[in-house]
Amino acid sequence: MIIRPGTALGPYEVVAPLDAGGMGSVFRGRDPRLGREVAIKVLPVASMKDERRVKRFLREARAAAAVTHPNIVAIYDVGEAEVDLAAPVGAERVALRFLVEEFVEGPSLRRLLRSGRPPLGRLVEIATGIARGLGAAHEKGLIHRDLKPENVLLDARGTAKIADFGLVRFIYPDTAAPGDEAEKDDVTETLTRSGFVVGTLGYMSPEQVRGDPLGPSSDLFALGIVLYEMLAGETPFSRSAFGDPFTAILKEPTPRVLERIPGTPPRLAHVIERCLEKDAARRYPSAARVLVHLEELRRELRLDTGRAASPRASAVLPTVAAAEPTRRTARPLGGGHQLALALAGGALAVLVAFAGGWAVGRTRPAPASANPVDPRLLADSWRATRVLDGLAERCVAAALSPDGRRAALASAGDGVGAELIVAAPNSSPEAATVAAGFASIEAPAFGNASVLFVGARDGSPSGIWLARLAEAAGLLAAADGEPQPVAEGGEDPAVSPDGSLVVFVRRSAGGSQLWLASPGGAKARPLVSAPGRSLRHPVFVEGGGAVLAVDLADPAGPDAGSGILFSSPLADARLVPFGTGRAVDAGVRPAPLGDGTLIVVSWPDRSAWLLDGAGETARRLPFGAGLTHLAASADGRSVLTRTGNGPLILWRRG
């Protein structure tokens, strides 16, 4: 469409052409009444011949104009004018409809991507702006339906602005599915018409391809595609083996971003993969939830500025600088067969003062205007109650019973002499040995009147053992017979909340598997296989309805020691990313609490964090950084920690 500079469209003056495409022609214009530059979008004549569509377009344009947000291109006006257009012979008088929008002095995201992938920080800034704009519009009931790099503009300051919100299905109906059943009959072009997807199909959601009614989650699918393209330089389904783009969108598996695009921060990879879920119900419930993760990633990247960081290290939980502690090592017995738990008064006072000062200095209460803070997060709600000095040098792993009244502590052995100790640290310094004579003991886990652990003895292969407990002297637990083998070759056992199931890991050269069994080892069966993954530390979550495990990073790579959380529902045995893909210390077992929350130790600063049941929000707990041990009671009232090679400290809340 050729409109000469100086042509008047109502009160607006055309200055110069800017762009043209299926959505119409865009001109730089001027509003002489306000003395400001504007963008004038002249709509295709054919799309405005149906009066019913014109009415709906005007209604939606008014609704879009009511959304004022810095990440949405503002709509100022909708108008109609008759102008003379150049024709093969002379000129033709044509009635045009046009939109008057905010003039954005800057390129589209498409033009930016033509010059290559933007730096990671810039990419996340753009993604954050898009998510903010989507969230603001979705709150007003508007759905874009055609989000793609061409519809994201970048102003002179680099702010991302979404254009054409809510107008696509009325301006150019061939590019998007109708929004509801009532409008399907009015759309003259159907989704099966050849050519309707040109320039748009690569960004459609599965429900959009099928012609189903659309909701905000359809825009989130498109956001996932845009994020993927910013990283990879191509859309996720552009190389599909199906060949047919319709089938690719509907059936191509959700891409594993970390495999396709090495070096992607795990948190960003998780956001993309969840946005690209085929089932709309499995995507984020809102753009606001996406924004939470992108904002957290922005903070992490700012924290990493100026220091060399690996891809996983750039996606850790928000941290403060901390000295890198020495990793725990198994030390030989220093003497004595029975271990004593000594309450060191002077050491306790020093440690309480140190830990309290650390916690108060590193955590601040929320401002009065913020949401109330969970009492478990407040530094002054926790106190160090015991220092277990006698066990510090020998302890390689620890566990707390669900009520926090007992602790199981595994000591290192030098070929022989490893022990499993059960104690009641809240009420008595005494301890009882429930397993001895093993070459090694690790990974204790409480069951019903029992403790499971991984041990090796008598030259036999390592496996899972069960030591039964019997009450003696009140809370103190004593051994009830010799430990019994449960699963040869099994590792990292954990018991379900009701005590009826045990989950553990088996490894092979090609990967690892999660297994389920009864506490005594009967009825063992594989839950899920993970080729190429090194799973460890499985725990039951969701009240026992799912298993969470840590996938260890390449031990020879720069992220050795870190891991990413995955979950597997018992009823649907498959591994899915858990939460935001945050990096955790793979050497410390996650600690699920009875209320559905979860404590993890972050990587690389090794501080304790409380996650919600979905793993999507996190708050730091006041135990300091450099943790090499952490165990928590399921009731959330007791935590056992160790920092570096220091003593074991038992913390109580309240």
Side-chain angles (χ1 to χ4, degrees):
M1 182 181 297
I2 300 175
I3 300 178
R4 296 185 178 87
T7 299
L9 294 176
Y12 305 98
E13 177 185 347
V14 174
V15 175
L18 288 175
D19 201 0
M23 293 286 291
S25 300
V26 185
F27 298 86
R28 188 169 187 161
R30 183 174 179 275
D31 183 350
R33 299 168 300 176
L34 300 177
R36 68 178 175 187
E37 287 188 299
V38 296
I40 304 174
K41 180 165 291 183
V42 180
L43 309 180
V45 175
S47 68
M48 291 290 110
K49 289 182 178 179
D50 186 328
E51 285 303 316
R52 292 177 299 175
R53 182 171 294 128
V54 168
K55 289 180 181 179
R56 289 197 305 274
F57 160 69
L58 293 173
R59 183 171 65 246
E60 189 107 355
R62 293 188 189 101
V67 180
T68 302
H69 192 274
N71 296 111
I72 296 178
V73 175
I75 297 177
Y76 296 145
D77 197 2
V78 180
E80 183 177 6
E82 290 191 352
V83 298
D84 293 325
L85 296 181
V89 178
E92 179 183 5
R93 192 76 171 171
V94 177
L96 300 177
R97 289 191 180 271
F98 57 89
L99 286 169
V100 182
E101 300 178 340
E102 170 188 4
F103 177 71
V104 179
E105 184 75 63
S108 67
L109 178 57
R110 169 63 66 212
R111 184 169 298 177
L112 177 69
L113 295 181
R114 289 189 183 120
S115 61
R117 189 183 99 167
L120 183 59
R122 180 80 180 101
L123 184 154
V124 174
E125 289 288 341
I126 293 171
T128 301
I130 298 173
R132 285 177 182 153
L134 288 175
H138 290 169
E139 286 182 359
K140 298 290 186 180
L142 291 176
I143 304 169
H144 195 288
R145 299 177 176 84
D146 196 28
L147 182 67
K148 55 187 177 182
E150 288 82 354
N151 285 334
V152 177
L153 306 181
L154 305 171
D155 69 11
R157 294 179 297 179
T159 302
K161 292 177 174 285
I162 307 173
D164 297 330
F165 228 115
L167 305 176
V168 173
R169 60 182 163 146
F170 300 116
I171 299 173
Y172 194 56
D174 286 352
T175 65
D180 54 58
E181 294 294 333
E183 289 165 347
K184 284 186 178 180
D185 293 339
D186 293 335
V187 178
T188 57
E189 306 291 344
T190 69
L191 288 170
T192 57
R193 181 179 181 272
S194 176
F196 88 95
V197 294
V198 174
T200 305
L201 176 58
Y203 303 89
M204 281 185 173
S205 65
E207 59 268 30
Q208 197 169 4
V209 169
R210 291 191 299 264
D212 295 341
L214 303 184
S217 61
S218 180
D219 284 346
L220 299 186
F221 189 91
L223 174 61
I225 293 176
V226 171
L227 296 182
Y228 185 98
E229 185 175 6
M230 283 197 285
L231 280 170
E234 62 184 12
T235 59
F237 308 113
S238 60
R239 298 187 182 184
S240 170
F242 287 106
D244 173 15
F246 290 91
T247 306
I249 289 175
L250 293 172
K251 297 184 177 181
E252 182 84 8
T254 300
R256 296 185 64 172
V257 177
L258 292 176
E259 292 181 0
R260 290 199 186 184
I261 316 171
T264 302
R267 186 187 305 280
L268 182 58
H270 173 74
V271 168
I272 294 172
E273 289 176 10
R274 187 160 177 189
C275 285
L276 292 178
E277 287 280 0
K278 302 294 187 185
D279 182 356
R282 296 182 64 89
R283 297 174 207 147
Y284 289 106
S286 67
R289 294 297 292 272
V290 179
L291 183 59
V292 168
H293 307 317
L294 292 175
E295 292 281 16
E296 192 167 352
L297 181 56
R298 288 176 67 223
R299 289 192 294 270
E300 292 163 1
L301 292 175
R302 285 199 298 269
L303 287 168
D304 283 337
T305 300
R307 75 183 187 193
S310 67
R312 282 185 194 246
S314 69
V316 298
L317 293 157
T319 60
V320 294
E324 190 71 9
T326 303
R327 291 297 284 165
R328 63 171 180 252
T329 57
R331 299 215 233 169
L333 285 172
H337 186 74
Q338 174 84 17
L339 296 178
L341 295 169
L343 175 58
L348 175 61
V350 172
L351 283 163
V352 170
F354 171 77
W358 185 302
V360 172
R362 298 296 177 101
T363 59
R364 294 180 171 83
S369 61
N371 292 328
V373 176
D374 189 316
R376 286 170 296 181
L377 310 179
L378 299 178
D380 58 6
S381 71
W382 289 92
R383 57 191 177 89
T385 61
R386 286 190 179 270
V387 177
L388 283 60
D389 270 343
L391 205 56
E393 292 188 358
R394 302 175 56 191
C395 181
V396 294
L400 287 175
S401 62
D403 59 7
R405 296 188 300 171
R406 293 174 178 169
L409 306 160
S411 73
D414 187 12
V416 294
E419 297 175 318
L420 180 65
I421 308 301
V422 173
N426 284 316
S427 58
S428 170
E430 298 181 38
T433 300
V434 298
F438 282 77
S440 64
I441 291 179
E442 57 187 21
F446 275 94
N448 288 339
S450 63
V451 177
L452 291 163
F453 62 93
V454 175
R457 70 188 313 183
D458 302 329
S460 300
S462 176
I464 298 173
W465 296 73
L466 182 143
R468 299 192 182 279
L469 306 178
E471 291 291 342
L475 294 175
L476 186 60
D480 182 15
E482 282 293 308
Q484 300 298 312
V486 171
E488 182 176 325
E491 300 179 19
D492 294 336
V495 182
S496 63
D498 65 0
S500 64
L501 284 175
V502 174
V503 63
F504 58 92
V505 176
R506 278 201 166 112
R507 305 192 188 283
S508 64
S512 52
Q513 287 183 318
L514 296 180
W515 282 68
L516 295 174
S518 68
K523 300 179 181 179
R525 62 180 177 87
L527 171 64
V528 65
S529 181
R533 295 191 182 278
S534 181
L535 299 179
R536 56 182 54 203
H537 299 315
V539 293
F540 285 93
V541 293
E542 298 179 16
V547 170
L548 186 77
V550 181
D551 178 26
L552 178 67
D554 180 0
D559 307 318
S562 70
I564 300 297
L565 297 171
F566 284 82
S567 66
S568 176
L570 299 192
D572 181 17
R574 61 191 181 95
L575 282 178
V576 295
F578 177 80
T580 60
R582 65 187 77 247
V584 299
D585 186 342
V588 182
R589 182 191 294 272
L593 307 182
D595 62 359
T597 57
L598 181 77
I599 299 177
V600 298
V601 172
S602 63
W603 177 270
D605 79 321
R606 300 191 180 97
S607 56
W609 290 76
L610 183 71
L611 309 184
D612 67 6
E616 295 178 350
T617 61
R619 295 292 182 91
R620 187 170 184 164
L621 292 167
F623 306 133
L627 298 175
T628 52
H629 289 65
L630 183 139
S633 60
D635 63 8
R637 300 190 62 84
S638 301
V639 172
L640 189 65
T641 67
R642 184 182 185 188
T643 300
N645 288 321
L648 289 164
I649 303 175
L650 181 68
W651 302 78
R652 291 284 291 172
R653 178 169 59 89

